[in-house]
Every structure is written in structure tokens, then in C-alpha cells.
Amino acid sequence: MDIGGAVATAEISVLSEAPVADAESLTGWLRGESELVGRVRRTGLPPSPGELGSVLDTVTVALSTGGTITALIASLRIWLAHPRRSDIRLKVRRDGGPSVEIDAKRVKRADVEKMLRLALEEDHEQHQESDAGE
């Protein structure tokens, strides 16, 4: 994704009974956030041999140094809180960083923000690297 000011990307894989439809719903939701306009697209794995196209079950968001991470975390937290999403899991990761899997049915709402920050904030990566070097 070539967006001015982008410093990294976040990948959000939707794990559900209808991953493509749920990824489309999430994409539309995130595109409604003013801080994320023009930074959100659906992506997926390349097609396997014999398949005609890829399954677009992943949402990719270009992150910048501004408030995009905070806006993304807040928006994901609200999207997951809707009752009809209780059977959805999201796997979230930042370029080269750790991934977290959030099960909307099993994760406490208070823990969602902490888990998303762990996956998305660069400070956590740098902190983990400095801990490993000690």
C-alpha cells in the first residue's frame, strides 16, 4: 500500500464462518473512521494452484505516526462489541511484529484494547527486543 506518511501496515485476518463477508463488513466499518480514510483495503493470500482468485479475508491498514493506531484500536474494539459478532475471531499483527488472536466470545472487553496495543504499537516491539538483549 503506497500511502504518504505510512510507516507500517497492520494485517487483520477475519476468522469466522463467513470470513469474506465479515472482512467486507470490517473494511466498511474502518473506512468510516476519518483517521483511516484511504488507508484501508481488503487483501488475502494468493490463489492456490487451480483456484481462480484469492480469498479476500484480510483487512490491511496503513499506519502512520499520527493517531491511526489509536483510531484503529478504538474502531476494532467497538466493531467486535456488536452482539452479532460474537462468533468472530480476529488475528491482528503489525509488519514484522507479534500477532494476537482475539476471540470476541471469549476475550473480556477490557482486555481487547491491551491485546490490540500489544500487536500494533511499535513501542512494544522495541521493548521486547531490548528485554531479549538483557
Side-chain angles (χ1 to χ4, degrees):
M1 186 178 286
D2 183 24
I3 295 181
V7 295
T9 58
E11 292 180 355
I12 306 157
S13 299
V14 179
L15 310 169
S16 69
E17 290 183 14
V20 175
D22 290 331
E24 186 175 319
S25 169
L26 178 58
T27 300
W29 178 267
L30 294 176
R31 285 180 176 160
E33 286 291 328
S34 61
E35 293 89 350
L36 302 177
V37 170
R39 297 181 170 276
V40 180
R41 67 183 168 115
R42 283 191 24 228
T43 57
L45 296 173
S48 298
E51 292 181 342
L52 297 177
S54 62
V55 177
L56 301 177
D57 62 352
T58 301
V59 179
T60 301
V61 181
L63 303 173
S64 71
T65 55
T68 56
I69 293 173
T70 301
L72 177 58
I73 289 170
S75 194
L76 286 172
R77 191 171 36 88
I78 294 166
W79 188 80
L80 280 169
H82 287 118
R84 66 181 182 278
R85 303 209 202 319
S86 64
D87 62 342
I88 291 179
R89 289 178 297 132
L90 297 180
K91 186 174 182 179
V92 181
R93 80 183 244 334
R94 180 185 170 117
D95 292 343
S99 66
V100 296
E101 193 169 302
I102 299 171
D103 186 330
K105 196 182 290 186
R106 293 182 175 82
V107 174
K108 294 177 185 175
R109 289 185 186 180
D111 293 337
V112 169
E113 184 169 349
K114 291 177 196 171
M115 293 176 75
L116 289 170
R117 287 198 182 282
L118 177 67
L120 296 173
E121 289 185 338
E122 189 174 28
D123 293 343
H124 291 290
E125 284 177 38
Q126 292 170 349
H127 193 61
Q128 287 175 347
E129 288 172 10
S130 66
D131 288 349
E134 292 177 2

